[in-house]
Amino acid sequence: MSEVLKEQLAINGGPKAKTTPNFPVWTGALEIGEEEKKQVLEVLDSKYLFRYYGPANVKSKVKELEKRFAAKMGAPYALATSSCTGALISALVGCGVGPGDEVIVSGYTFFASCAAVVTAKAIPVIAEVDETLTIDPADIERKITPATKALVVVHMRGVPCDMDAVMAIAKKHNLKVIEDVAQSCGGTYKGKALGTFGDAGCFSFQFHKIITAGEGGMVLCNDERTYNRIMGYHDTGACWRPERYADERFEGELFCGSNYRMSELTGAVMLAQLDRLDYLLAGMRRNFKRIYEQIKDTPGIKCRPVNDPDGDVCVCMMFYLDAPEKVKPFVEALKAEGVAAEGVFNAGIPDWHIYAHWKHVMEEKTPTEVKCPYDCPHHNKAPHVVNTPDMNPNTLEYLSRVVHIDIVAQMTEEDCDMVAKAINKVATVLA
Ligand SMILES: Cc1ncc(COP(=O)(O)O)c(C=O)c1O
């Protein structure tokens, strides 16, 4: 690689490496078009807007989506929800998590993964991520106490967790596993769909996700009873069970719940988006590979290792610099080159994806003066774990050195080559 002089960097007045525009939104959202319109108009024309009833002889879009999603992912049960947060809360409750329990959750995830635990009245215990930026199995082991009931493992930024290790730990300690697949829809680990390993897998169809209806979610589940409990909780407590007013079919089926149902309008958009998933995954993977091949040996940067590279959905390129103080100038130089890059952790800039910024958990904020779940009298099998901003130093260290660039399926070869060129150009001077 030729040496780039400092003056040639765009930030110092040199020519930009990337002259094509960056994409304004995310990959699924960019595709919203005729198919989505057609599906939504069918719902409006039929006036069938609620999944459980409406004019006769109309098939529920939500039901069809569940059927097709389950088949695509290879799971026996799928439940559509209004969000991934609703999916996570329903899954935790459905798996029997509640007062007195601790749930170990990854320290690098959108805050919702942790908020769901608190909403389910359990105490979150935040764990380290390793260099893959997914939960560190060794730290799960360290953080297990007699009160630990479940793990929330997050396939973060497209990359699968080490599911062999996670499932082995869960088996050894008899823990429930809830997979947060919000950012990795369509990803796999050793050929098996993410979201099908644990007791429940929760997906998001929020606007910034691979496929989207603006809002929406899904739970995958392998077990009929667990599915029925999750289904009941998401629907005010079994309101729309097959036999609505019947006695419970098994102990623990009937209890009060919330309403996280998916609307037929969302289901309609998602049917069209689901059809686009394979194309979007292929595009992101192609683009990732094209950039990766050009930067993987660049001195001064190290691409994020991936537990199973074939299963990565490739929503982004992340690479490490060797010192945190290099990240800001590197990112600023990349932006000047025309690449929408970002650093990830900066102690001074709040970001709800990094546990140290989760003020509500660090300070054990609750909506009333009663400090439920933190002072729960049922939590009596182990001392109350207090989460603190410095409890996971490795996580902060990794995140403080990482640079992040979004990848969308719609990027052209030229876009990819220019991104790689910009990274290499900046690395020559600043890495
Ligand atoms: C990892 C992760 N988990 C959970 C969520 C929550 O998803 P939703 O907005 O659908 O509730 C998100 C959304 O950003 C996320 O990125």
Side-chain angles (χ1 to χ4, degrees):
M1 191 198 327
S2 65
E3 277 294 300
V4 176
L5 297 174
K6 219 172 165 182
E7 302 81 67
Q8 287 174 337
L9 291 184
I11 201 163
N12 297 326
K16 277 178 153 195
K18 185 165 186 286
T19 50
T20 53
N22 292 302
F23 289 86
V25 285
W26 299 282
T27 207
L30 286 167
E31 294 295 311
I32 292 171
E34 289 311 312
E35 285 310 309
E36 284 79 358
K37 279 188 207 162
K38 184 171 164 284
Q39 287 283 357
V40 168
L41 285 176
E42 277 177 24
V43 173
L44 294 176
D45 286 342
S46 70
K47 299 186 171 56
Y48 193 99
L49 275 86
F50 180 55
R51 68 171 292 175
Y52 292 114
Y53 59 76
N57 298 326
V58 176
K59 265 176 42 188
S60 162
K61 300 277 185 196
V62 174
K63 230 184 221 171
E64 191 183 340
L65 176 69
E66 288 174 345
K67 211 167 123 193
R68 286 182 43 200
F69 200 85
K72 185 154 190 64
M73 300 299 166
Y77 302 98
L79 175 77
T81 58
S82 53
S83 68
C84 182
T85 306
L88 286 163
I89 296 167
S90 304
L92 285 158
V93 173
C95 286
V97 170
D101 295 331
E102 286 174 7
V103 176
I104 297 176
V105 55
S106 171
Y108 179 42
T109 177
F110 182 59
F111 175 68
S113 324
C114 185
V117 173
V118 181
T119 308
K121 299 192 176 68
I123 296 180
V125 176
I126 303 166
E128 295 270 29
V129 294
D130 59 23
E131 207 180 9
T132 67
L133 301 179
T134 63
I135 199 158
D136 177 359
D139 200 48
I140 296 178
E141 292 261 31
R142 284 193 287 272
K143 286 188 169 137
I144 289 172
T145 76
T148 309
K149 179 71 170 271
L151 311 174
V152 173
V153 301
V154 185
H155 305 295
M156 193 57 177
R157 301 283 192 235
V159 165
C161 297
D162 180 348
M163 289 313 292
D164 283 345
V166 166
M167 296 311 291
I169 293 168
K171 192 168 174 208
K172 182 171 154 201
H173 296 276
N174 192 26
L175 305 175
K176 300 287 182 185
V177 175
I178 287 108
E179 298 176 68
D180 181 333
V181 204
Q183 300 191 3
S184 304
C185 181
T188 55
Y189 177 77
K190 299 191 175 172
K192 187 169 150 65
L194 300 181
T196 62
F197 287 82
D199 297 275
C202 301
F203 295 73
S204 175
F205 306 134
Q206 180 263 345
F207 195 56
H208 193 174
K209 301 301 183 292
I210 298 170
I211 49 175
T212 184
E215 295 275 16
M218 187 73 77
V219 188
L220 294 182
C221 187
N222 292 315
D223 171 66
E224 189 181 357
R225 279 182 180 233
T226 310
Y227 163 78
N228 277 309
R229 282 171 55 92
I230 297 172
M231 191 281 182
Y233 186 78
H234 110 294
D235 189 13
T236 61
C239 190
W240 291 97
R241 287 183 307 139
E243 299 165 76
R244 284 186 69 194
Y245 299 105
D247 290 337
E248 57 184 355
R249 292 168 294 185
F250 59 89
E251 203 181 316
E253 185 186 21
L254 270 180
F255 51 87
C256 295
S258 190
N259 176 359
Y260 297 123
R261 292 187 300 253
M262 180 182 277
S263 131
E264 284 291 297
L265 290 166
T266 304
V269 176
M270 285 314 303
L271 277 174
Q273 286 270 301
L274 187 59
D275 279 342
R276 304 189 189 281
L277 181 60
D278 289 341
Y279 156 80
L280 294 171
L281 291 173
M284 291 187 293
R285 286 172 166 154
R286 178 194 63 229
N287 294 338
F288 177 95
K289 190 159 180 259
R290 193 167 179 99
I291 300 170
Y292 178 80
E293 288 300 326
Q294 297 178 62
I295 67 164
K296 67 180 196 302
D297 300 321
T298 299
I301 70 173
K302 180 182 179 196
C303 289
R304 172 194 189 185
V306 175
N307 289 310
D308 174 9
D310 291 340
D312 184 353
V313 291
C314 299
V315 286
C316 65
M317 177 63 69
M318 289 175 117
F319 55 84
Y320 291 97
L321 303 180
D322 59 18
E325 57 277 12
K326 289 185 178 175
V327 170
K328 194 162 178 261
F330 200 104
V331 164
E332 280 170 5
L334 273 179
K335 282 183 174 162
E337 297 294 340
V339 175
E342 295 294 345
V344 176
F345 176 62
N346 178 327
I349 302 172
D351 174 342
W352 289 132
H353 294 85
I354 301 161
Y355 83 93
H357 294 307
W358 299 344
K359 210 188 290 184
H360 9 15
V361 174
M362 298 300 131
E363 297 176 16
E364 300 190 346
K365 298 276 189 197
T366 50
T368 69
E369 284 174 11
V370 177
K371 292 287 172 193
C372 173
Y374 301 104
D375 63 357
C376 179
H378 300 287
H379 186 274
N380 52 21
K381 293 186 201 146
H384 164 187
V385 172
V386 178
N387 293 289
T388 61
D390 55 3
M391 70 192 290
N392 294 309
N394 300 343
T395 299
L396 300 184
E397 204 279 326
Y398 289 129
L399 293 174
S400 68
R401 286 192 294 110
V402 91
V403 176
H404 172 279
I405 298 168
D406 281 324
I407 290 178
V408 295
Q410 293 82 358
M411 290 166 81
T412 63
E413 289 186 353
E414 188 188 24
D415 290 324
C416 297
D417 292 347
M418 287 181 172
V419 168
K421 185 175 163 197
I423 295 169
N424 286 329
K425 184 180 171 192
V426 173
T428 308
V429 180
L430 296 179

